[in-house]
Amino acid sequence: MLAASLLAVLAGVVYYLLTSPINLDKEARFYIQSGDTSYKIGHELSEKNWILDPMLMRVVARLHPEWVPKVGEYAIMPGMTILDLMALFDSGRSVVYSVTLLEGKTLDYYLATMAAKGNIKMTLKGLTNEQIAKRFALDVSNPEGQFFANTYQYHEGDTDFSILQHSHRLLEQTLADLWDKRDKNLPYKNAYEALVMASIIEKETGAPIERPLISRVFISRLEKGMRLQTDPTVIYGLGKNFNGNLTRKDLRSASPYNTYLHFGLPPTPIANVGKEAIEAALNPGETKALYFVAKGDGTHAFSNTLQAHNRAVAKYQKYHRRSDYKSIPESTVKENAQ
């Protein structure tokens, strides 16, 4: 009888310890590594003084052999019990982070953005464009423009490849859906050319209302056999040689991205894009304008003739330029300086 009574008391104590709040007064993080056993987890929790004894985790493992801790980072909240902890570790509901890949940015910028997070495993940094394109099984040798600008969720230790793979698949899906709904009278041979155009539109304006108009101007130029003559393509072709000021010498550079010298679209996108830019490329607005010039406030003045365009240039870029005006957005200068 005494032994039975002692066992009952012991069982009661264990139950009390398993169902009482752990010793924690504010949210904390706990990492489960590959191969961690219930006892090892218990030992770490005990070292943190969150639980009384490591053996308590082994007791839970015996009571619930179906619970298997999953690798990840977990948010531990005050008031949780040991049973709650093991159930959480078994659920795999680890902490979720997010990274925003902005419109109009290059792949190099995306990689730098992810590296700055500090908890994404970087596997693509230092690879050539050809090597990266091969990793993603692309049909082109330059992966620029192959990733959809969006905010993505990830877990600690996820790779840049896994995040960008999701981004690429989302781009392919979005591009395919919008291609099916496109204006049928467009000068594109395929959806890739539309993506190239979308990247130019994305770099030319940050004003959503202007995207369809910018698209129409460039499409009209293509249809009339005119050069696109767009600065962002030249800047992309210059790469790290661009110092923030586009010169006449730059406009004579032999790069295949120099749309002041070459007719048609550049060979690849010059940036990654969002849905709105693709929509604009595939469903342009209505305007007879063939020219536009930046006003210096983020918008543009559109002109139907070269004479009107020259007057607009004189107005906005020679005589009435703001003291803080830059020929391209500050973010572009910083991006190309990296």
Side-chain angles (χ1 to χ4, degrees):
M1 291 291 294
L2 180 60
S5 297
L6 289 174
L7 287 175
V9 171
L10 180 61
V13 170
V14 171
Y15 179 79
Y16 172 79
L17 293 174
L18 294 182
T19 57
S20 296
I22 61 174
N23 185 30
L24 185 68
D25 57 7
K26 62 181 180 179
E27 180 181 349
R29 300 294 169 86
F30 188 81
Y31 298 85
I32 301 291
Q33 307 291 337
S34 178
D36 279 359
T37 63
S38 59
Y39 183 77
K40 184 176 184 298
I41 294 170
H43 185 72
E44 292 182 15
L45 293 173
S46 179
E47 284 187 334
K48 292 177 179 291
N49 199 33
W50 292 357
I51 66 174
L52 185 63
D53 190 282
M55 289 301 295
L56 292 171
M57 297 301 286
R58 182 171 289 184
V59 171
V60 177
R62 290 288 184 89
L63 292 173
H64 294 279
E66 75 279 8
W67 287 359
V68 179
K70 310 296 191 305
V71 173
E73 177 190 13
Y74 295 88
I76 311 302
M77 308 299 293
M80 295 182 74
T81 67
I82 293 177
L83 289 173
D84 293 333
L85 291 182
M86 281 297 283
L88 176 63
F89 301 154
D90 171 67
S91 72
R93 294 193 299 272
S94 54
V95 176
V96 176
Y97 295 90
S98 65
V99 58
T100 299
L101 305 180
L102 297 170
E103 296 92 339
K105 300 298 184 180
T106 62
L107 174 58
D108 282 346
Y109 190 94
Y110 280 5
L111 292 174
T113 298
M114 288 186 284
K117 285 291 184 177
N119 59 358
I120 297 174
K121 185 177 180 181
M122 303 304 294
T123 65
L124 301 174
K125 199 70 174 178
L127 298 183
T128 65
N129 281 338
E130 291 77 9
Q131 289 171 327
I132 293 176
K134 187 174 181 180
R135 285 285 306 276
F136 288 95
L138 302 178
D139 295 329
V140 293
S141 59
N142 186 346
E144 197 69 84
Q146 294 293 318
F147 308 100
F148 192 69
N150 204 351
T151 296
Y152 297 92
Q153 293 186 333
Y154 67 94
H155 294 92
E156 170 125 358
D158 281 356
T159 66
D160 51 357
F161 175 79
S162 66
I163 295 169
L164 288 177
Q165 187 175 49
H166 181 197
S167 177
H168 175 62
R169 288 171 178 168
L170 188 55
L171 174 77
E172 288 188 312
Q173 177 184 337
T174 303
L175 183 58
D177 291 344
L178 295 177
W179 178 257
D180 290 339
K181 302 172 185 177
R182 71 188 184 281
D183 183 329
K184 301 304 179 183
N185 298 312
L186 296 174
Y188 310 131
K189 297 176 183 176
N190 48 49
Y192 185 73
E193 288 194 351
L195 186 62
V196 174
M197 178 64 83
S199 73
I200 298 174
I201 296 168
E202 197 77 87
K203 294 297 290 184
E204 279 286 5
T205 184
I209 195 172
E210 287 191 343
R211 288 192 184 106
L213 299 179
I214 297 285
S215 176
R216 174 53 66 188
V217 169
F218 285 136
I219 288 173
S220 295
R221 289 183 188 179
L222 289 176
E223 291 173 341
K224 292 179 180 293
M226 299 171 62
R227 294 182 181 91
L228 292 183
Q229 295 186 322
T230 169
D231 293 356
T233 62
V234 181
I235 293 169
Y236 181 81
L238 292 171
K240 294 183 178 179
N241 293 324
F242 178 64
N243 64 6
N245 293 304
L246 199 61
T247 66
R248 290 184 178 181
K249 180 181 178 181
D250 294 333
L251 297 181
R252 294 193 295 269
S253 64
S255 163
Y257 291 89
N258 188 344
T259 53
Y260 282 84
L261 291 181
H262 305 295
F263 289 92
L265 293 165
T268 73
I270 59 172
N272 296 288
V273 304
K275 181 179 180 181
E276 291 77 10
I278 299 174
E279 286 180 325
L282 293 173
N283 294 280
E286 293 297 329
T287 180
K288 294 182 180 180
L290 290 173
Y291 309 92
F292 57 88
V293 62
K295 294 180 180 180
D297 63 357
T299 64
H300 296 79
F302 292 82
S303 303
N304 293 356
T305 66
L306 183 58
Q307 292 79 6
H309 174 64
N310 288 335
R311 289 194 296 270
V313 170
K315 177 179 180 180
Y316 292 107
Q317 294 198 356
K318 290 184 179 179
Y319 307 124
H320 297 280
R321 180 177 295 179
R322 299 181 338 193
S323 61
D324 62 344
Y325 176 81
K326 294 184 180 298
S327 60
I328 60 171
E330 182 71 24
S331 60
T332 306
V333 176
K334 292 179 180 177
E335 177 180 335
N336 284 275
Q338 290 183 349

